[in-house]
PDB file of all heavy atoms in Angstrom:
ATOM      1  N   SER A  31     -14.463 -10.033   6.081  1.00 98.00           N
ATOM      2  CA  SER A  31     -13.860  -9.156   7.077  1.00 98.00           C
ATOM      3  C   SER A  31     -14.915  -8.200   7.629  1.00 98.00           C
ATOM      4  O   SER A  31     -15.958  -7.973   7.015  1.00 98.00           O
ATOM      5  CB  SER A  31     -12.704  -8.367   6.471  1.00 98.00           C
ATOM      6  OG  SER A  31     -13.178  -7.537   5.427  1.00 98.00           O
ATOM      7  N   ARG A  32     -14.625  -7.625   8.786  1.00 98.00           N
ATOM      8  CA  ARG A  32     -15.551  -6.663   9.385  1.00 98.00           C
ATOM      9  C   ARG A  32     -15.382  -5.306   8.714  1.00 98.00           C
ATOM     10  O   ARG A  32     -14.346  -5.001   8.116  1.00 98.00           O
ATOM     11  CB  ARG A  32     -15.317  -6.567  10.875  1.00 98.00           C
ATOM     12  CG  ARG A  32     -15.579  -7.884  11.600  1.00 98.00           C
ATOM     13  CD  ARG A  32     -15.234  -7.807  13.060  1.00 98.00           C
ATOM     14  NE  ARG A  32     -16.204  -6.989  13.798  1.00 98.00           N
ATOM     15  CZ  ARG A  32     -16.087  -6.697  15.082  1.00 98.00           C
ATOM     16  NH1 ARG A  32     -15.035  -7.117  15.774  1.00 98.00           N
ATOM     17  NH2 ARG A  32     -17.010  -5.954  15.693  1.00 98.00           N
ATOM     18  N   LEU A  33     -16.432  -4.494   8.817  1.00 98.00           N
ATOM     19  CA  LEU A  33     -16.450  -3.182   8.190  1.00 98.00           C
ATOM     20  C   LEU A  33     -17.060  -2.175   9.157  1.00 98.00           C
ATOM     21  O   LEU A  33     -18.220  -2.313   9.554  1.00 98.00           O
ATOM     22  CB  LEU A  33     -17.253  -3.218   6.884  1.00 98.00           C
ATOM     23  CG  LEU A  33     -17.376  -1.897   6.128  1.00 98.00           C
ATOM     24  CD1 LEU A  33     -16.019  -1.420   5.618  1.00 98.00           C
ATOM     25  CD2 LEU A  33     -18.360  -2.041   4.958  1.00 98.00           C
ATOM     26  N   LEU A  34     -16.282  -1.189   9.515  1.00 98.00           N
ATOM     27  CA  LEU A  34     -16.786  -0.080  10.336  1.00 98.00           C
ATOM     28  C   LEU A  34     -17.248   1.002   9.368  1.00 98.00           C
ATOM     29  O   LEU A  34     -16.428   1.673   8.735  1.00 98.00           O
ATOM     30  CB  LEU A  34     -15.689   0.436  11.260  1.00 98.00           C
ATOM     31  CG  LEU A  34     -16.056   1.572  12.219  1.00 98.00           C
ATOM     32  CD1 LEU A  34     -17.240   1.198  13.085  1.00 98.00           C
ATOM     33  CD2 LEU A  34     -14.861   1.944  13.087  1.00 98.00           C
ATOM     34  N   ALA A  35     -18.557   1.146   9.239  1.00 98.00           N
ATOM     35  CA  ALA A  35     -19.135   2.067   8.268  1.00 98.00           C
ATOM     36  C   ALA A  35     -19.471   3.390   8.957  1.00 98.00           C
ATOM     37  O   ALA A  35     -20.345   3.453   9.824  1.00 98.00           O
ATOM     38  CB  ALA A  35     -20.391   1.465   7.645  1.00 98.00           C
ATOM     39  N   VAL A  36     -18.780   4.441   8.562  1.00 98.00           N
ATOM     40  CA  VAL A  36     -18.967   5.775   9.137  1.00 98.00           C
ATOM     41  C   VAL A  36     -19.916   6.532   8.225  1.00 98.00           C
ATOM     42  O   VAL A  36     -19.552   6.902   7.096  1.00 98.00           O
ATOM     43  CB  VAL A  36     -17.617   6.505   9.266  1.00 98.00           C
ATOM     44  CG1 VAL A  36     -17.790   7.809  10.035  1.00 98.00           C
ATOM     45  CG2 VAL A  36     -16.578   5.614   9.953  1.00 98.00           C
ATOM     46  N   ASP A  37     -21.142   6.757   8.685  1.00 97.00           N
ATOM     47  CA  ASP A  37     -22.170   7.256   7.780  1.00 97.00           C
ATOM     48  C   ASP A  37     -22.609   8.691   8.046  1.00 97.00           C
ATOM     49  O   ASP A  37     -23.404   9.253   7.298  1.00 97.00           O
ATOM     50  CB  ASP A  37     -23.392   6.330   7.799  1.00 97.00           C
ATOM     51  CG  ASP A  37     -23.908   6.042   9.207  1.00 97.00           C
ATOM     52  OD1 ASP A  37     -23.503   6.764  10.147  1.00 97.00           O
ATOM     53  OD2 ASP A  37     -24.680   5.091   9.370  1.00 97.00           O
ATOM     54  N   SER A  38     -22.114   9.306   9.126  1.00 97.00           N
ATOM     55  CA  SER A  38     -22.425  10.708   9.394  1.00 97.00           C
ATOM     56  C   SER A  38     -21.345  11.261  10.322  1.00 97.00           C
ATOM     57  O   SER A  38     -20.519  10.503  10.837  1.00 97.00           O
ATOM     58  CB  SER A  38     -23.810  10.844  10.044  1.00 97.00           C
ATOM     59  OG  SER A  38     -23.723  10.647  11.444  1.00 97.00           O
ATOM     60  N   PRO A  39     -21.342  12.563  10.586  1.00 95.00           N
ATOM     61  CA  PRO A  39     -20.339  13.109  11.501  1.00 95.00           C
ATOM     62  C   PRO A  39     -20.442  12.575  12.921  1.00 95.00           C
ATOM     63  O   PRO A  39     -19.520  12.760  13.715  1.00 95.00           O
ATOM     64  CB  PRO A  39     -20.624  14.617  11.451  1.00 95.00           C
ATOM     65  CG  PRO A  39     -21.248  14.847  10.117  1.00 95.00           C
ATOM     66  CD  PRO A  39     -22.093  13.633   9.883  1.00 95.00           C
ATOM     67  N   SER A  40     -21.538  11.898  13.254  1.00 94.00           N
ATOM     68  CA  SER A  40     -21.708  11.444  14.638  1.00 94.00           C
ATOM     69  C   SER A  40     -22.163   9.995  14.765  1.00 94.00           C
ATOM     70  O   SER A  40     -22.370   9.519  15.879  1.00 94.00           O
ATOM     71  CB  SER A  40     -22.719  12.347  15.363  1.00 94.00           C
ATOM     72  OG  SER A  40     -23.972  12.329  14.696  1.00 94.00           O
ATOM     73  N   SER A  41     -22.326   9.272  13.655  1.00 97.00           N
ATOM     74  CA  SER A  41     -22.840   7.904  13.747  1.00 97.00           C
ATOM     75  C   SER A  41     -22.031   6.953  12.875  1.00 97.00           C
ATOM     76  O   SER A  41     -21.378   7.355  11.907  1.00 97.00           O
ATOM     77  CB  SER A  41     -24.320   7.845  13.335  1.00 97.00           C
ATOM     78  OG  SER A  41     -24.469   8.192  11.978  1.00 97.00           O
ATOM     79  N   HIS A  42     -22.076   5.678  13.239  1.00 98.00           N
ATOM     80  CA  HIS A  42     -21.392   4.643  12.476  1.00 98.00           C
ATOM     81  C   HIS A  42     -22.078   3.305  12.739  1.00 98.00           C
ATOM     82  O   HIS A  42     -22.873   3.159  13.669  1.00 98.00           O
ATOM     83  CB  HIS A  42     -19.904   4.570  12.843  1.00 98.00           C
ATOM     84  CG  HIS A  42     -19.650   4.364  14.298  1.00 98.00           C
ATOM     85  ND1 HIS A  42     -19.604   5.403  15.201  1.00 98.00           N
ATOM     86  CD2 HIS A  42     -19.443   3.231  15.024  1.00 98.00           C
ATOM     87  CE1 HIS A  42     -19.367   4.933  16.417  1.00 98.00           C
ATOM     88  NE2 HIS A  42     -19.274   3.620  16.341  1.00 98.00           N
ATOM     89  N   GLN A  43     -21.759   2.321  11.903  1.00 98.00           N
ATOM     90  CA  GLN A  43     -22.358   1.000  12.008  1.00 98.00           C
ATOM     91  C   GLN A  43     -21.253  -0.055  11.988  1.00 98.00           C
ATOM     92  O   GLN A  43     -20.227   0.123  11.329  1.00 98.00           O
ATOM     93  CB  GLN A  43     -23.293   0.725  10.828  1.00 98.00           C
ATOM     94  CG  GLN A  43     -24.363   1.753  10.572  1.00 98.00           C
ATOM     95  CD  GLN A  43     -25.115   1.457   9.292  1.00 98.00           C
ATOM     96  OE1 GLN A  43     -25.483   0.306   9.008  1.00 98.00           O
ATOM     97  NE2 GLN A  43     -25.337   2.492   8.493  1.00 98.00           N
ATOM     98  N   HIS A  44     -21.504  -1.167  12.666  1.00 98.00           N
ATOM     99  CA  HIS A  44     -20.606  -2.316  12.611  1.00 98.00           C
ATOM    100  C   HIS A  44     -21.208  -3.322  11.629  1.00 98.00           C
ATOM    101  O   HIS A  44     -22.266  -3.905  11.897  1.00 98.00           O
ATOM    102  CB  HIS A  44     -20.430  -2.935  13.995  1.00 98.00           C
ATOM    103  CG  HIS A  44     -19.780  -2.006  14.980  1.00 98.00           C
ATOM    104  ND1 HIS A  44     -18.459  -1.646  14.888  1.00 98.00           N
ATOM    105  CD2 HIS A  44     -20.288  -1.352  16.062  1.00 98.00           C
ATOM    106  CE1 HIS A  44     -18.163  -0.807  15.889  1.00 98.00           C
ATOM    107  NE2 HIS A  44     -19.261  -0.607  16.595  1.00 98.00           N
ATOM    108  N   ARG A  45     -20.545  -3.517  10.507  1.00 98.00           N
ATOM    109  CA  ARG A  45     -21.076  -4.370   9.445  1.00 98.00           C
ATOM    110  C   ARG A  45     -20.011  -5.379   9.008  1.00 98.00           C
ATOM    111  O   ARG A  45     -18.921  -5.459   9.577  1.00 98.00           O
ATOM    112  CB  ARG A  45     -21.511  -3.504   8.255  1.00 98.00           C
ATOM    113  CG  ARG A  45     -22.504  -2.394   8.600  1.00 98.00           C
ATOM    114  CD  ARG A  45     -23.883  -2.967   8.946  1.00 98.00           C
ATOM    115  NE  ARG A  45     -24.551  -3.517   7.787  1.00 98.00           N
ATOM    116  CZ  ARG A  45     -25.433  -2.855   7.026  1.00 98.00           C
ATOM    117  NH1 ARG A  45     -25.734  -1.592   7.324  1.00 98.00           N
ATOM    118  NH2 ARG A  45     -26.013  -3.425   5.988  1.00 98.00           N
ATOM    119  N   ILE A  46     -20.352  -6.124   7.954  1.00 98.00           N
ATOM    120  CA  ILE A  46     -19.422  -7.050   7.302  1.00 98.00           C
ATOM    121  C   ILE A  46     -19.126  -6.498   5.916  1.00 98.00           C
ATOM    122  O   ILE A  46     -19.996  -5.867   5.292  1.00 98.00           O
ATOM    123  CB  ILE A  46     -20.025  -8.468   7.206  1.00 98.00           C
ATOM    124  CG1 ILE A  46     -20.393  -8.981   8.598  1.00 98.00           C
ATOM    125  CG2 ILE A  46     -19.045  -9.435   6.525  1.00 98.00           C
ATOM    126  CD1 ILE A  46     -19.216  -9.120   9.545  1.00 98.00           C
TER     127      ILE A  46
END
Side-chain angles (χ1 to χ4, degrees):
S31 62
R32 297 175 72 184
L33 179 65
L34 182 56
V36 188
D37 52 14
S38 84
S40 59
S41 64
H42 56 275
Q43 307 173 44
H44 297 290
R45 305 290 290 265
I46 302 298

